[in-house]
Amino acid sequence: MRYFNYLSELQREGIFLMKPTIVTKSTPKDLLQYSLGATLYMPSTRHDIAELVISKKYTELCSMVLCLEDAIGDNEVEMAEAMVIKHIEAIYNSLKEQVISTEELPLIFLRVRSPEQMSRISYQLKESLDCLTGFVFPKFSVYNATAYLENLVTIVKETNIKLYGMPIFETPDIIDKETRVMNFLTIKKLLENYKDSILNIRIGATDLCGLYGIRRNCHTTIYDISIIRDFITDLINFFARDYVISGPVWEYFENSTTRILKPQLRQSPFSESYGEGGLKVRTQLLSEYGDGLIKETLLDLANGLNGKTVIHPNHVKIVQSLIVVSNEEYLDALSIVENYTGNVGVVKSEYLNKMNEIKPHYLWADKVLKKSKIYGVYHDNHNFIDLLAESTYSSNLV
């Protein structure tokens, strides 16, 4: 898959200084782990999963999770397993018949209910398993971590198919302050033996909030919920130096018509960039996405998280447009990496607005350059508004 492949070549030339490159499950892990973008969750009981992948119904879709856990009822499990096997086999056959190519295939993950279910479905899929990039491990904790990870390693060895795991942290024992640190330390030590198999760590914010009877509204970011903000802080502290952590789900796909707070999106960037057209984009964002999604995604990025779980196709473009590397970030990162020779300790930014310290900013710069390959780099004076405006204009022409 390639991000923003739905744009014409002319549109890409106008928006990107560096255009996104193709990513597949075979891409080296150090790059692939940053490549998930907006990961769309959908119940595995949907009847059109194979069709929407093969037909490329959602042109912006680059990663997806088929859920066998909370997104389906407890009484639907047997039916859901049969359906998901059918869908994955259909996708695999379309690849064999060259209806779609590997380069067009989104990164597909299966969220299972248990290690045993993961093994059972894997062996039923046989060679079709290769359509998957990996599995999502829900309710990941000290009590099931070894079983999940060992089963994954066994499946990979026995099938000779590369697969990754993505644990979701969402259980009482890791949100509870009394046991969090001890369990984080135990899990961190355990994961060291399986580091090459872990693609992302994900945050189950909905489950964690639910443990305390909390549900945020569409005007509130997850960082406004103090207990979750505290949890994310600790999660970053323990794991972000060794693993990519993805942002939690935004669960609202249509904003409230009655606003409690004034819009968080400033009008000026839209009107300055596109005049009336920019204001139209802003109106569409407020009505279809909600400015809370934009604010939360920006806070994810500011805190070092990469990518985000989403539950509606309308969220995908907005999240992914925010992940694209800005021209200023790219030039700063390039300068830092190029000067990582020991000859200088600090260099002036090409934008002449900051000093780039080589050692403290090196890891940040390395991440920025990796993301620039995946998501591209905006031209100077371009940003997510330009990309969303192009998408809006393109869709209006169809």
Side-chain angles (χ1 to χ4, degrees):
M1 57 83 178
R2 175 162 51 191
Y3 281 94
F4 315 112
N5 212 32
Y6 54 86
L7 296 173
S8 69
E9 185 62 28
L10 183 62
Q11 288 173 317
R12 286 196 292 269
E13 289 284 350
I15 293 173
F16 295 108
L17 172 70
M18 178 187 293
K19 287 177 280 188
T21 56
I22 292 173
V23 175
T24 71
K25 66 173 286 187
S26 299
T27 297
K29 186 206 162 193
D30 67 327
L31 204 61
L32 187 64
Q33 63 188 347
Y34 291 100
S35 301
L36 271 62
T39 301
L40 181 63
Y41 269 58
M42 59 182 66
S44 57
T45 49
R46 281 186 60 155
H47 293 273
D48 63 343
I49 291 172
E51 179 185 349
L52 69 84
V53 170
I54 296 167
S55 68
K56 299 183 282 292
K57 178 181 178 180
Y58 302 132
T59 55
E60 66 275 16
L61 181 63
C62 290
S63 71
M64 60 191 293
V65 172
L66 310 181
C67 185
L68 286 164
E69 203 228 0
D70 285 348
I72 67 168
D74 292 339
N75 297 327
E76 297 181 294
V77 175
E78 187 175 342
M79 176 188 68
E81 286 187 12
M83 289 182 69
V84 83
I85 290 168
K86 180 180 176 181
H87 288 310
I88 295 171
E89 287 177 343
I91 294 169
Y92 180 75
N93 289 333
S94 72
L95 286 169
K96 285 179 64 176
E97 296 165 8
Q98 299 183 331
V99 177
I100 59 171
S101 68
T102 303
E103 294 180 352
E104 294 174 308
L105 189 69
L107 305 174
I108 304 174
F109 299 85
L110 187 61
R111 175 171 166 168
V112 292
R113 290 192 164 216
S114 67
E116 295 75 23
Q117 186 186 50
M118 177 175 67
S119 299
R120 183 171 64 252
I121 291 176
S122 295
Y123 295 129
Q124 288 180 271
L125 284 171
K126 300 178 182 176
E127 68 271 13
S128 301
L129 182 65
D130 200 26
C131 284
L132 295 182
T133 303
F135 295 93
V136 178
F137 306 147
K139 313 295 189 291
F140 191 80
S141 72
V142 295
Y143 304 107
N144 59 25
T146 299
Y148 269 123
L149 295 166
E150 277 299 307
N151 279 28
L152 177 64
V153 169
T154 299
I155 292 166
V156 169
K157 285 181 179 178
E158 293 184 356
T159 63
N160 199 31
I161 293 173
K162 182 63 178 176
L163 296 164
Y164 294 98
M166 295 199 296
I168 308 180
F169 285 27
E170 53 185 350
T171 53
D173 53 305
I174 51 94
I175 188 68
D176 191 332
K177 269 286 193 182
E178 294 179 358
T179 55
R180 184 188 306 167
V181 172
M182 176 183 66
N183 285 323
F184 271 4
L185 285 170
T186 302
I187 292 171
K188 184 176 181 180
K189 185 175 181 180
L190 175 64
L191 287 180
E192 287 177 2
N193 298 320
Y194 304 91
K195 197 169 183 180
D196 291 342
S197 298
I198 304 300
L199 193 61
N200 271 193
I201 288 175
R202 309 192 77 86
I203 301 169
T206 301
D207 281 59
L208 293 173
C209 285
L211 293 171
Y212 295 87
I214 296 170
R215 184 176 187 179
R216 57 188 165 126
N217 61 41
C218 60
H219 310 291
T220 305
T221 75
I222 201 64
Y223 297 93
D224 296 316
I225 307 300
S226 58
I227 193 167
I228 306 300
R229 181 180 64 244
D230 177 68
F231 170 79
I232 292 174
T233 299
D234 284 348
L235 185 68
I236 292 169
N237 195 302
F238 275 85
F239 295 97
R241 282 170 289 184
D242 300 306
Y243 304 95
V244 172
I245 302 174
S246 294
V249 66
W250 178 261
E251 61 186 19
Y252 291 93
F253 53 85
E254 186 174 340
N255 213 342
S256 172
T257 55
T258 304
R259 242 177 217 289
I260 299 172
L261 304 173
K262 68 179 183 178
Q264 297 164 353
L265 290 178
R266 294 187 299 113
Q267 178 172 316
S268 56
F270 295 88
S271 57
E272 289 168 4
S273 297
Y274 281 97
E276 291 184 6
L279 293 178
K280 182 177 180 181
V281 173
R282 178 181 186 272
T283 301
Q284 183 173 343
L285 287 174
L286 291 177
S287 61
E288 292 184 7
Y289 304 110
D291 48 345
L293 170 61
I294 294 175
K295 182 179 180 183
E296 184 169 292
T297 304
L298 291 172
L299 287 169
D300 289 339
L301 293 168
N303 284 281
L305 307 188
N306 188 80
K308 195 166 189 65
T309 297
V310 298
I311 45 81
H312 196 282
N314 284 349
H315 295 168
V316 175
K317 287 180 183 178
I318 182 65
V319 170
Q320 291 173 175
S321 69
L322 289 165
I323 302 176
V324 176
V325 175
S326 72
N327 187 273
E328 182 174 351
E329 286 179 317
Y330 176 69
L331 293 179
D332 283 342
L334 202 60
S335 174
I336 290 164
V337 171
E338 288 176 347
N339 284 283
Y340 195 70
T341 60
N343 295 326
V344 294
V346 63
V347 291
K348 188 184 294 185
S349 166
E350 284 200 34
Y351 275 66
L352 305 179
N353 60 0
K354 70 179 80 67
M355 300 302 291
N356 291 323
E357 293 190 64
I358 307 303
K359 289 183 179 179
H361 293 137
Y362 180 78
L363 288 179
W364 169 85
D366 181 61
K367 291 179 183 179
V368 168
L369 293 183
K370 287 174 180 174
K371 291 198 290 184
S372 70
K373 294 178 182 177
I374 301 160
Y375 303 99
V377 178
Y378 284 123
H379 278 302
D380 191 19
N381 296 321
H382 284 61
N383 56 35
F384 79 102
I385 302 162
D386 302 81
L387 186 51
L388 291 174
E390 289 285 11
S391 300
T392 301
Y393 298 154
S394 296
S395 63
N396 288 339
L397 293 174
V398 176

